[in-house]
């Protein structure tokens, strides 16, 4: 169940990271490198996984969002 939830939520975190990086580290977005891609990907994956994991622990949210 985590993979579907991560798939749905990761775009939110990618957009949040993009806004933060544009504000504080715009140099990372001017030249796309493997480092910047890995940084954004790993951070968004970990936060998405943590969010879904915490949602699954709450029975009410898990029932209505993931059908479990």
């Amino acid at each position: 169940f985590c993979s579907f939830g991560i798939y749905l939520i990761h775009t939110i975190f990618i957009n949040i990271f993009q806004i933060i990086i544009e504000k504080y580290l715009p140099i990372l977005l001017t030249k796309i490198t493997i480092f910047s891609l890995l940084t954004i990907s790993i951070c968004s994956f970990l936060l998405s996984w943590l969010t879904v994991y915490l949602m699954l622990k709450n029975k009410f949210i898990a029932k209505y969002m993931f059908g479990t």
Side-chain angles (χ1 to χ4, degrees):
F1 292 104
C2 280
S3 63
F4 183 65
I6 290 169
Y7 171 75
L8 291 175
I9 293 176
H10 82 282
T11 56
I12 295 169
F13 288 115
I14 287 175
N15 289 332
I16 290 170
F17 285 129
Q18 185 176 2
I19 292 168
I20 292 170
I21 289 172
E22 283 176 352
K23 186 172 183 177
Y24 295 108
L25 296 170
I27 192 80
L28 284 178
L29 296 177
T30 57
K31 187 174 182 182
I32 298 175
T33 62
I34 293 175
F35 176 73
S36 64
L37 288 174
L38 283 174
T39 302
I40 292 172
S41 299
I42 291 170
C43 290
S44 69
F45 171 77
L46 290 175
L47 280 174
S48 299
W49 178 80
L50 179 65
T51 302
V52 171
Y53 176 76
L54 292 174
M55 286 177 158
L56 285 172
K57 291 189 103 45
N58 184 323
K59 299 294 182 193
F60 180 77
I61 293 174
K63 180 179 178 183
Y64 289 104
M65 290 200 62
F66 304 112
T68 61

